[in-house]
Amino acid sequence: MKPGVKNIFNSVNIALMPLLAFSAFFNFSAAAAADYSSNSQCDSNYAHNICDKADLTEFKRLALLNKEEQKPKFTAFTVDAYPEYPYHISSADIDFDGREELIVSKLASSHDPKGFGAVDVYKLTNPADLSSWAKTRIAADIRFPNKVSAADINGDRRTDFVVPYGSIVHDAGFGGGIAWFERQGFSGYRKRLVTSAPGVMYRSAVLCDINGDSITDIIAAAETRGAFGGGDSSLHIFYGNKSETRFEKKPVIAGKGAGGFPCAFDMDGDGDLDIAAAEFYGTAGSFSWFENPGATGQWIRHSIDDTAGKAFQMTIVPNLFGAGTVTAVGTNHTNIYDDPYDRESALFVYEKPLNPRFSWPRIKVSSDFRPRQTQADSLVKQKAPGAFACGNIDGDRDLDIVVNGAGDPNVYLLTQVKPKKFETSVLAVEMPHGGVAVADYDGDAVGDIVLSSAENNRLLIFKNNNAGQHPGF
């Protein structure tokens, strides 16, 4: 085992395979491409290089069964047999063909595994076969790349990528930052640094026009860890401009107490975008939103819930409880087995009140999460739950929720059986510390579920066998 890997997730033993060097800007020689393929991996050019497929029997045990003697409700397919410790997943239609692609951040790539990672795009090559994926490398040698955003930033009708990075748990000395990768030519990308700072982590970078000037801005939370636990977080806005670099180098600080995965939404109905977020690195953790002051004034922080404990992710989800409803879905990030005084690990849904500045009614929709007890020498605290995504997963037109347990190694499916009523079941086991995406990749009008596990080096997609009839592509 190579040195340093155990610090990524030392609650399990991770054996790294030999990996070859990548170019950071996608320039591969024919010899390098042949070398890469000879090691049973995927070349960077998905136009003619297809990802290897794994033996599906290994993953049959991951499928959720209605009953043991019945056909599995879900079938698991391998997206990539050698995914290089995938973590965060984004989903977007990158090539404008009407189907979404996967954008996957990876913790280990071609160099020293301690902190170096990569970003790959996966495209489904055959909608009838959810194991037929091809891979394009967007970026390499990024220290702990986190959740990527995709958009046409410079108006050239080609998709660019914004990559936030950093880990204040594993690699605080190097710090983090935000970079964007500008599409150049057929397959090249030019890296441009937006910001970097020691001891800071950016886990997500939201692209939107937050100030209404028709130029794309970046919203991100800068998180820092305290020397004895705790820490701090600030909501940063990098305003866009028309310069070659496209973004201001110095952020506007909208306020304190916003965590890693902010989202933009018009919370108060005044026509501009506000920001909601979950806080982990702070005094107590919470769910909150920040009111946009417009052209002048100070951003105002409003609490959604400050009683759920330290939190991982919050997303505003319209229509979750029916057409016209607005809800905030959030996961806290706790472990009562490490700390009996901690809050219960759960997924909550908050209904937006008529005046969102007042208290939001809370509904706990999950069954029990069971995070593992943290080992004494582990850098990673086994807290639960983690990332989630919403979509129509069972084909009945309402929205369901899939949530990664993080420190709980299970992935859970929360099926909405009627408005405000969810049934919880285990979708997959042994998939700790990973990401989730939900989209209709095969065109059957039902959401497919993509799961990663950085700890166990898996990248899978789950198809519902009992919903959907005819492909739409």
Side-chain angles (χ1 to χ4, degrees):
M1 182 178 293
K2 296 182 179 181
V5 178
K6 199 168 184 180
N7 288 336
I8 296 179
F9 291 107
N10 59 4
S11 59
V12 297
N13 294 320
I14 300 176
L16 285 180
M17 67 193 74
L19 297 171
L20 300 175
F22 288 100
S23 163
F25 303 111
F26 207 120
N27 293 320
F28 287 73
S29 66
D35 223 22
Y36 193 41
S37 297
S38 69
N39 281 273
S40 301
Q41 301 205 22
C42 303
D43 198 308
S44 61
N45 192 340
Y46 66 63
H48 56 78
N49 291 277
I50 305 302
C51 289
D52 288 342
K53 299 178 183 179
D55 183 359
L56 293 182
T57 58
E58 178 185 352
F59 303 110
K60 284 184 178 179
R61 65 187 181 86
L62 301 177
L64 171 66
L65 304 179
N66 290 330
K67 292 182 179 179
E68 289 185 0
E69 67 272 14
Q70 292 182 347
K71 180 181 178 182
K73 186 175 181 181
F74 288 87
T75 300
F77 299 88
T78 304
V79 175
D80 190 345
Y82 305 95
E84 300 178 86
Y85 303 97
Y87 197 178
H88 299 289
I89 308 172
S90 304
S91 185
D93 183 4
I94 293 169
D95 53 6
F96 310 109
D97 67 348
R99 286 189 287 153
E100 295 190 16
E101 284 75 48
L102 301 173
I103 313 167
V104 183
S105 301
K106 302 177 174 186
L107 297 187
S109 89
S110 55
H111 295 165
D112 177 5
K114 185 182 178 182
F116 282 107
V119 176
D120 287 334
V121 170
Y122 290 87
K123 181 177 178 62
L124 186 64
T125 59
N126 178 7
D129 180 5
L130 283 175
S131 66
S132 62
W133 297 83
K135 179 171 65 176
T136 304
R137 179 137 293 183
I138 301 302
D141 299 334
I142 302 290
R143 279 191 183 274
F144 290 96
N146 292 312
K147 190 166 185 177
V148 179
S149 296
D152 177 9
I153 292 173
N154 53 5
D156 63 358
R157 299 184 181 180
R158 294 184 293 186
T159 300
D160 309 302
F161 300 90
V162 172
V163 181
Y165 60 92
S167 172
I168 57 181
V169 175
H170 304 93
D171 215 16
F174 288 94
I178 301 172
W180 73 282
F181 289 79
E182 178 184 9
R183 181 71 177 268
Q184 292 188 327
F186 174 72
S187 60
Y189 293 87
R190 178 177 179 178
K191 179 182 177 181
R192 297 180 183 275
L193 188 66
V194 178
T195 187
S196 64
V200 172
M201 171 175 66
Y202 292 95
R203 285 189 285 168
S204 175
V206 178
L207 299 176
C208 66
D209 179 14
I210 197 68
N211 59 352
D213 63 357
S214 300
I215 301 176
T216 299
D217 310 306
I218 294 175
I219 301 169
E223 297 176 287
T224 58
R225 187 184 188 191
F228 303 99
D232 196 10
S233 59
S234 299
L235 187 61
H236 287 187
I237 301 173
F238 297 89
Y239 286 117
N241 57 42
K242 295 183 178 180
S243 69
E244 185 178 6
T245 58
R246 295 292 167 177
F247 297 102
E248 300 291 336
K249 295 293 184 182
K250 184 177 181 180
V252 170
I253 299 176
K256 298 282 189 177
F261 302 96
C263 64
F265 189 82
D266 184 3
M267 305 286 281
D268 50 7
D270 63 356
D272 57 23
L273 292 175
D274 309 295
I275 304 169
E279 178 191 25
F280 183 82
Y281 290 102
T283 55
S286 65
F287 299 116
S288 59
W289 70 279
F290 294 75
E291 184 176 353
N292 193 333
T296 61
Q298 183 70 35
W299 286 77
I300 303 172
R301 182 180 184 274
H302 303 283
S303 174
I304 292 176
D305 182 7
D306 59 4
T307 67
K310 292 183 178 294
F312 189 87
Q313 178 185 344
M314 167 161 278
T315 301
I316 303 301
V317 182
N319 306 319
L320 179 64
F321 289 163
T325 62
V326 176
T327 55
V329 180
T331 49
N332 66 2
H333 204 54
T334 61
N335 190 335
I336 61 172
Y337 303 103
D338 284 353
D339 179 3
Y341 298 102
D342 208 349
R343 307 300 171 88
E344 176 189 11
S345 301
L347 184 144
F348 303 104
V349 177
Y350 301 86
E351 294 186 82
K352 186 172 82 70
L354 186 62
N355 186 341
R357 301 171 186 84
F358 296 156
S359 177
W360 292 47
R362 183 174 89 178
I363 302 174
K364 177 193 166 189
V365 299
S366 63
S367 297
D368 293 340
F369 295 100
R370 296 186 177 274
R372 300 168 296 190
Q373 191 163 13
T374 303
Q375 298 177 7
D377 61 345
S378 177
L379 292 177
V380 178
K381 300 298 183 182
Q382 301 298 320
K383 297 180 180 295
F388 65 86
C390 303
N392 176 19
I393 295 166
D394 56 5
D396 62 358
R397 298 186 180 183
D398 61 14
L399 296 179
D400 311 296
I401 306 170
V402 181
V403 55
N404 183 281
D408 177 337
N410 292 331
V411 176
Y412 295 89
L413 173 60
L414 280 64
T415 304
Q416 189 169 193
V417 293
K418 61 181 180 180
K420 304 183 183 182
K421 176 67 175 178
F422 292 79
E423 290 183 352
T424 301
S425 55
V426 175
L427 175 67
V429 299
E430 296 303 323
M431 294 288 288
H433 298 291
V436 181
V438 175
D440 179 15
Y441 297 99
D442 58 3
D444 64 357
V446 179
D448 307 301
I449 305 166
V450 182
L451 303 178
S452 67
S453 173
E455 183 174 305
N456 286 348
N457 196 25
R458 286 175 173 167
L459 185 60
L460 308 175
I461 184 168
F462 285 71
K463 176 179 175 59
N464 192 325
N465 296 321
N466 299 337
Q469 298 295 326
H470 304 291
F473 299 116

